[in-house]
Amino acid sequence: MYATPEGALEILFWASSPKPVVHLRDKKTGQRVATVSEFRSEGGGEVPPSLVSEPLKLPALGIYGLEVGSEADHVGCGDFDYRLRSHVGSFAARNTVSVDTPKTAVSAHVTVFDPRTQTGSPLRNTKVTLSGVGISQQLTTDAQGRVNTPVNFRGTETSTLLKLTVQGTPEMADDTGHLDVPTVRRKAEIVLDPASEKIRGVYGSTATLTGRASVIAADGTRRPVPQGTPLNGDLDGVPGTGADGRFERQIRVAPKDGRWVTTTWANNKLYPWLSFAWDSTEVDVVDATSFTDFKATIDAARTITVTGKIDREPGYGPADVQVQYSADGKTGWTTRKTVTTRFTWETFKQTLPGEADGYWRLHYPGAPNIQPATTQPVRLTRTATAFSYFNAAPEPVRKGQTFTIKGTLQHGTPAKAYGGQTVLFYFRPTGGQGYVYQGHSKTAADGTFVHPFKADRTGTWIARYRDADGKHYNAESRQDDLVVNP
């Protein structure tokens, strides 16, 4: 339900019978001030008829609440606008405009209708606002409610639509008149530079398009379009032409409609000053690739473990990722292993033999129309350990006699004594298949260790160190054969 311009109550659709009884309530005092129960039907046909009352006579101008039901049990149904009705009429321009003659003048007649007396009159000496693209003027109506003012377009506006607005007040409703100032479009053209007719770029990257826009005279001669003529938007907003008609656009390499990007006027075919013109750029899109979640670690046995995921936009499919090594992280990169994975879909994990020290990275070499990708290198190293001396003596030795294993454990570069560490001893009898643990010893401050054993049979002895702090490599001594006689 709402108020008509004449101050009648109109109900657009009423689904029940009998016809409704509607009450109006003063929003300030909370009192009901009128009841409307008489309506006539208007319209019909395929659309249910609306119900319209006679113009109401209310005690004061303002906005009243509408409700249906009793005083104790009612439903609010919106507002009834019982204010003076301003109206912008006869809104017109004196002449058409073009890029050659962008000046005109506009006029309008502003009136006001009083629902209390059902009469209209000029809206005299009242401020109104004229607005449009780049235009904002405060005007005042004269004694006849008229306004008349020059309008100077630049010839580069995206629209020549003007609005004349009467601001509403507590006793008067607002109104806005609209005028599309008629224009004469001049013939024009847009020509891209050769380097901008076809470009190749990585998906999501930025590319620059350049060219020139010209107005074409009847004799075929060309001149630059007005400086600031807007083109369709780009990454920097709405680019405009220079005084020589040249332009530069920044676009994202990710065409939504196939492989083409169009350069034309802002507002496209609706641009009011120039005939529709365009030029297209063919874009060869290279899929973008990147690594995420890349991690690389090395354990005490010099085993490298790498994990990661390779992404590709906008494509998908298999990818052969190379695990690469370099001693200095800058040159001499060599591929140590190739991992077959899938773009975007999965995180992969691979292990491979490592080096004592060096740099590791993931590398995807790329493919036709797929960008290569490389992670930042990661240095993987631990402190080296080594047995600088190891010996089982005396030898030969008789069965049941005591012999001694002696040695020295060092670490670091340059090597130095590694004291306080546990050394493990293993023995493999001649003809045996594997080493069997026999005991352990602690290294002294100078890295030396000593451990006695009773001779049992001929075989081979070794010592092993196993990383104890997560920062060292494992180490194994040389093999020492010990002959045991009966």
Side-chain angles (χ1 to χ4, degrees):
M1 295 190 292
Y2 66 96
T4 68
E6 296 77 20
L9 175 62
E10 181 169 2
I11 302 174
L12 289 181
F13 178 73
W14 183 255
S16 63
S17 182
K19 293 179 180 179
V21 176
V22 181
H23 308 281
L24 281 77
R25 187 182 298 274
D26 189 315
K27 289 192 170 187
K28 294 181 180 179
T29 65
Q31 299 297 314
R32 284 184 172 178
V33 297
T35 297
V36 184
S37 58
E38 297 295 327
F39 296 91
R40 65 181 184 276
S41 296
E42 291 188 354
E46 294 183 1
V47 180
S50 59
L51 303 179
V52 183
S53 74
E54 293 298 319
L56 304 187
K57 301 293 184 181
L58 298 178
L61 297 170
I63 297 177
Y64 294 83
L66 295 170
E67 52 191 42
V68 175
S70 66
E71 180 70 28
D73 183 15
H74 58 266
V75 177
C77 301
D79 292 332
F80 186 84
D81 191 342
Y82 194 70
R83 292 183 294 174
L84 301 175
R85 304 287 181 181
S86 61
H87 175 67
V88 177
S90 303
F91 194 13
R94 182 181 60 195
N95 55 271
T96 60
V97 293
S98 70
V99 292
D100 303 312
T101 56
K103 296 181 180 181
T104 188
V106 298
S107 59
H109 186 214
V110 186
T111 59
V112 64
F113 176 83
D114 191 334
R116 298 168 298 182
T117 62
Q118 295 292 297
T119 59
S121 60
L123 186 60
R124 304 177 178 88
N125 305 317
T126 301
K127 291 186 180 299
V128 294
T129 301
L130 180 68
S131 60
V133 177
I135 296 173
S136 181
Q137 300 180 32
Q138 290 292 321
L139 307 173
T140 302
T141 60
D142 61 17
Q144 286 76 44
R146 299 186 181 278
V147 291
N148 195 321
T149 185
V151 174
N152 298 326
F153 290 107
R154 301 183 307 277
T156 58
E157 290 81 3
T158 55
S159 169
T160 57
L161 176 66
L162 298 178
K163 298 179 182 180
L164 190 66
T165 301
V166 182
Q167 187 66 41
T169 68
E171 293 190 340
M172 183 177 70
D174 61 357
D175 188 49
T176 299
H178 299 81
L179 170 63
D180 250 325
V181 178
T183 62
V184 177
R185 289 183 170 92
R186 299 303 187 198
K187 187 176 180 181
E189 68 177 5
I190 294 173
V191 179
L192 291 167
D193 294 335
S196 295
E197 292 177 350
K198 185 174 182 177
I199 62 173
R200 177 179 171 86
V202 175
Y203 180 87
S205 64
T206 300
T208 300
L209 305 182
T210 58
R212 186 187 301 274
S214 304
V215 178
I216 305 175
D219 62 1
T221 58
R222 287 162 170 75
R223 61 180 174 85
V225 297
Q227 183 175 1
T229 294
L231 300 173
N232 50 328
D234 64 7
L235 297 178
D236 295 329
V238 179
T241 58
D244 57 357
R246 291 200 52 82
F247 60 84
E248 181 177 293
R249 296 184 65 209
Q250 303 295 322
I251 66 165
R252 185 79 68 192
V253 180
K256 296 179 180 179
D257 303 317
R259 299 176 59 189
W260 298 90
V261 171
T262 299
T263 298
T264 185
W265 317 121
N267 260 12
N268 209 295
K269 292 183 178 181
L270 298 179
Y271 188 67
W273 302 102
L274 302 170
S275 63
F276 179 61
W278 56 275
D279 203 355
S280 290
T281 302
E282 184 179 2
V283 182
D284 187 9
V285 180
V286 177
D287 286 6
T289 58
S290 61
F291 284 101
T292 56
D293 303 328
F294 168 54
K295 293 182 180 179
T297 59
I298 189 168
D299 65 15
R302 298 190 186 183
T303 298
I304 300 291
T305 301
V306 295
T307 58
K309 184 171 72 172
I310 184 168
D311 297 324
R312 173 181 168 188
E313 289 186 292
Y316 58 91
D320 290 333
V321 175
Q322 300 172 356
V323 183
Q324 295 188 331
Y325 168 79
S326 167
D328 60 8
K330 300 177 182 178
T331 59
W333 287 100
T334 59
T335 298
R336 295 296 181 86
K337 193 168 188 177
T338 298
V339 181
T340 299
T341 183
R342 294 190 66 82
F343 286 109
T344 304
W345 291 359
E346 61 188 12
T347 298
F348 59 84
K349 179 179 180 180
Q350 287 293 315
T351 60
L352 66 159
E355 300 286 348
D357 191 7
Y359 294 80
W360 297 83
R361 71 181 186 183
L362 297 178
H363 174 69
Y364 172 68
N369 276 9
I370 305 178
Q371 178 193 36
T374 306
T375 64
Q376 289 294 320
V378 174
R379 185 182 182 186
L380 297 179
T381 184
R382 288 184 175 219
T383 302
T385 54
F387 290 91
S388 60
Y389 174 76
F390 180 76
N391 189 50
E395 55 180 326
V397 64
R398 287 187 179 278
K399 183 176 180 179
Q401 289 185 335
T402 298
F403 68 95
T404 302
I405 291 180
K406 296 181 180 180
T408 302
L409 181 66
Q410 295 183 321
H411 72 147
T413 304
K416 59 183 178 180
Y418 197 14
Q421 303 303 308
T422 299
V423 175
L424 309 175
F425 302 104
Y426 294 84
F427 174 71
R428 183 184 66 194
T430 300
Q433 297 299 311
Y435 286 96
V436 178
Y437 172 73
Q438 300 296 314
H440 65 274
S441 178
K442 283 278 189 179
T443 60
D446 61 357
T448 61
F449 56 89
V450 178
H451 196 291
F453 288 96
K454 279 193 178 296
D456 180 52
R457 48 186 166 164
T458 298
T460 304
W461 288 84
I462 61 170
R464 290 172 176 167
Y465 164 75
R466 292 293 177 258
D467 169 57
D469 61 2
K471 299 178 180 178
H472 286 73
Y473 289 117
N474 297 336
E476 187 172 290
S477 72
R478 71 177 184 88
Q479 298 177 1
D480 191 22
D481 295 331
L482 183 70
V483 177
V484 176
N485 294 326

